[in-house]
Amino acid sequence: QVQLVESGGGLVQAGGSLRLSCAASGTIASINTMGWYRQAPGKQRELVARITSGGSTTYADSVKGRFTISRDNGKNAVSLQMNSLKPEDTGVYYCHTRRLGGSSWYDYWGQGTQVTVSS
């Protein structure tokens, strides 16, 4: 099992910044990607950004140029720096990781942290 503990989030005005952090513990060997998803009210959960153990990154088009994901492999932690926030960035942000166990991949999620951007 892998446990993901998130921190950060909160209320910010449009144009402001927030930083989310997530630390993994437990069976952390063979963790591959770490990343962030978000879910707005009435919408499906969507990928925000992810990063591989090698440092390759993927971003949703809507956050490119504004958000930066980084990873500390030594601490098994991932962070998301969010700048120039917009009201449409509002939602619950979930930390995610994927671990290889035998021949199967297993997905793990954090408890979620609320991000609210006021206009």
Side-chain angles (χ1 to χ4, degrees):
Q1 292 292 327
V2 175
Q3 294 79 43
L4 299 172
V5 178
E6 300 149 341
S7 60
L11 173 64
V12 66
Q13 289 188 334
S17 298
L18 284 173
R19 185 177 182 85
L20 305 181
S21 297
C22 173
S25 62
T27 310
I28 56 178
S30 300
I31 281 180
N32 188 279
T33 59
M34 297 187 76
W36 294 91
Y37 287 70
R38 68 186 178 193
Q39 187 165 20
K43 295 187 176 181
Q44 290 187 334
R45 191 173 297 188
E46 63 176 0
L47 172 70
V48 177
R50 64 179 174 223
I51 184 168
T52 68
S53 56
S56 297
T57 57
T58 302
Y59 292 93
D61 288 342
S62 60
V63 307
K64 285 180 180 177
R66 300 187 298 121
F67 291 11
T68 302
I69 191 169
S70 60
R71 179 170 177 169
D72 186 334
N73 289 327
K75 296 182 178 180
N76 299 300
V78 63
S79 295
L80 184 68
Q81 178 65 41
M82 304 185 292
N83 299 327
S84 302
L85 282 161
K86 304 176 180 180
E88 51 264 43
D89 294 318
T90 294
V92 179
Y93 283 67
Y94 296 92
C95 182
H96 169 266
T97 191
R98 173 167 284 191
R99 181 182 70 86
L100 181 62
S103 59
S104 299
W105 287 99
Y106 297 89
D107 292 290
Y108 299 91
W109 298 91
Q111 77 281 6
T113 185
Q114 178 70 44
V115 170
T116 302
V117 184
S118 64
S119 57

